[in-house]
Amino acid sequence: MKDVTKDTILVHAGRDPRNNHGIVNPPVYHCSTVLFPSLDALEESDRNMLTSVNYGRMGTPTTFAFEEAAAELEGGYKAVNTGSGLAAIAIALSAFTKAGDHVLITDSAYGPTRRFAKETLIPYGVEVEFYDPCIGAGISALLRPNTSVVFLESPGSLTFEVQDVPAIAAAAKTVGATVMIDNTWATPLFFRPFDHGVDLSIHAATKYMVGHADAMLGVVTCRDEESWTAVKKTATRFGVCGGPDDLYLGLRGLRTLSVRMRQHQESALALADWLAARPEVTRVLHPARPDFPGHELWKRDFTGSSGLFSVIVNQVPRKALAAMLDGMELFGMGYSWGGFESLILPTRPAAVRSATRWTDPGQVLRLHAGLESPDDLIRDLEAGFRRMAAAL
Ligand SMILES: Cc1ncc(COP(=O)(O)O)c(C=O)c1O
């Protein structure tokens, strides 16, 4: 589709009603075996294994529809789906590392990303180094001739440091490293990795793309054919693929991504404003707020903000924290985010850092603003603070 906005791409990408009896949505193919009518057809499919309908794991029209939509939305060459966001990260890292390589990973990365690097890449002979997310062009000092990957996550999904992606990507290119970013927070709507020098954009589609907390899915969108081939071949070797129903839910979620993101953004900002004025709150970690250290970079590179942010509250005894969290009526307590529902989660950034130190003594609470009325959410938080105070 040419000269259309992302809102329009979201509605039309990955569907072909004319070749599907006029039915608006593509069918869901449940598939392992694909039958070939002749030896010629079998051999032809094997020659084009990465792109043809060859075997269920390699991709079906359901797979290709989701991947096509994700790639078109992000402006990449093509995408590769995986069964979860973490699988997308693991496949992307594996595709571009071998024994003897040096890999740089932001200290603000999602915990299991760090764990994959430490517990899989290191034993396989890769040297892993974590770096300060705010390092910017200073990353040059850490780059080596054998640095094969620079991994970013911006903003970091617990503490929201905004990275200087163009500066880091430009430096990484001087040693030929592949630059990959976990772009889950911004979605393809609010940050365009390929405009900023990134080679691979990774999404936990489980979050905003699916949008309804009912499927696990990941996707790696690749800048060019070379990087796509490397990722696709790696996913194939690992036997990674999304399930048909989850892929369909991912594609269906994309149709409403834009309207949902507008509301997540607006509600999160309303909650952040209210929280910033509370006596219990010492800091609000939200890139779209002018008082946040990474705000200027966010303003330069992003076109919006999502529903996920953190606040730091004064440290209170565990029983007071439990009194607040256990009694929430609308905010659920649990992992993940990006669904229609609001979430609240106590986190401990200090425990997962190694290149930088997290020294703030307060309690970090990560919030996801769902699609409920912000006024109702504020009342839920207010009642929570009252329970916290009563338990002190
Ligand atoms: C920033 C980020 N990246 C990746 C993931 C992993 O996604 P999934 O849960 O689909 O494996 C998560 C999950 O919480 C996340 O927050």
Side-chain angles (χ1 to χ4, degrees):
M1 261 172 280
K2 287 210 176 74
D3 300 327
V4 293
T5 66
K6 286 188 178 183
D7 286 3
T8 304
I9 293 174
L10 283 170
V11 172
H12 289 274
R15 34 189 208 97
D16 189 8
R18 270 185 228 155
N19 286 317
N20 179 35
H21 312 285
I23 296 168
V24 170
N25 284 298
V28 181
Y29 285 92
H30 289 91
C31 161
S32 57
T33 303
V34 175
L35 299 176
F36 301 95
S38 65
L39 184 59
D40 275 356
L42 174 87
E43 287 174 353
E44 171 67 13
S45 179
D46 284 351
R47 273 193 296 276
N48 301 300
M49 199 182 277
L50 298 185
T51 50
S52 67
V53 179
N54 178 273
Y55 179 58
R57 197 173 59 223
M58 304 295 296
T60 68
T62 311
T63 315
F64 301 147
F66 171 72
E67 291 176 346
E68 200 181 298
E72 191 170 341
L73 186 60
E74 203 141 44
Y77 168 71
K78 272 188 183 184
V80 177
N81 88 91
T82 56
S84 71
L86 183 57
I89 291 162
I91 291 297
L93 283 168
S94 303
F96 291 93
T97 45
K98 59 182 187 319
D101 284 353
H102 171 244
V103 165
L104 285 165
I105 298 182
T106 176
D107 213 23
S108 54
Y110 172 58
T113 303
R114 299 179 67 102
R115 205 172 307 134
F116 176 77
K118 286 205 295 208
E119 296 178 12
T120 299
L121 293 184
I122 293 177
Y124 280 6
V126 177
E127 198 177 337
V128 172
E129 184 176 355
F130 293 97
Y131 67 88
D132 181 344
C134 301
I135 199 165
I139 200 152
S140 294
L142 304 182
L143 291 165
R144 304 180 196 167
N146 65 334
T147 305
S148 60
V149 169
V150 177
F151 187 98
L152 301 90
E153 179 180 315
S154 180
S157 58
L158 286 186
T159 41
F160 300 92
E161 292 90 344
V162 182
Q163 298 197 256
D164 191 340
V165 180
I168 293 173
K173 290 291 143 198
T174 64
V175 295
T178 298
V179 179
M180 45 187 83
I181 190 166
D182 184 331
N183 195 28
T184 306
W185 182 87
T187 81
L189 296 180
F190 295 154
F191 183 73
R192 292 183 63 82
F194 302 122
D195 291 351
H196 297 281
V198 172
D199 301 302
L200 302 185
S201 175
I202 302 166
H203 293 272
T206 308
K207 318 296 184 219
Y208 287 121
M209 288 189 179
V210 166
H212 294 72
D214 54 2
M216 301 296 302
L217 195 63
V219 65
V220 185
T221 305
C222 309
R223 170 189 284 284
D224 53 29
E225 185 171 2
E226 198 184 339
S227 53
W228 176 80
T229 305
V231 175
K232 178 72 182 175
K233 282 186 171 172
T234 307
T236 301
R237 278 196 300 272
F238 276 84
V240 162
C241 60
D245 293 318
D246 290 348
L247 286 158
Y248 179 79
L249 290 173
L251 189 60
R252 192 174 74 160
L254 285 178
R255 305 296 176 219
T256 56
L257 182 68
S258 182
V259 282
R260 285 187 285 110
M261 291 312 290
R262 279 201 278 276
Q263 189 60 51
H264 285 300
Q265 168 167 246
E266 195 182 309
S267 296
L269 286 167
L271 296 187
D273 279 351
W274 182 82
L275 284 159
R278 290 292 305 190
E280 299 87 348
V281 173
T282 56
R283 279 167 71 199
V284 177
L285 310 179
H286 191 312
R289 285 180 58 83
D291 59 356
F292 186 69
H295 178 69
E296 288 306 316
L297 280 178
W298 173 82
K299 220 163 63 176
R300 187 190 71 184
D301 294 343
F302 288 70
T303 53
S305 59
S306 71
L308 194 74
F309 67 102
S310 286
V311 292
I312 305 181
V313 296
N314 290 317
Q315 198 58 258
V316 291
R318 192 179 174 284
K319 76 172 176 36
L321 183 63
M324 175 183 191
L325 297 179
D326 294 359
M328 301 305 286
E329 285 187 359
L330 301 178
F331 280 89
M333 186 166 33
Y335 295 104
S336 203
W337 44 280
F340 53 79
E341 82 289 19
S342 291
L343 297 169
I344 188 164
L345 189 72
T347 71
R348 290 197 309 129
V352 290
R353 296 296 166 113
S354 58
T356 51
R357 284 184 65 220
W358 182 263
T359 53
D360 194 300
Q363 170 66 56
V364 181
L365 293 176
R366 191 181 74 176
L367 287 95
H368 179 250
L371 302 179
E372 304 92 335
S373 146
D375 291 343
D376 293 340
L377 293 174
I378 284 171
R379 273 199 296 279
D380 203 26
L381 289 170
E382 197 166 25
F385 282 133
R386 270 201 303 275
R387 284 192 302 279
M388 182 189 261
L392 285 174

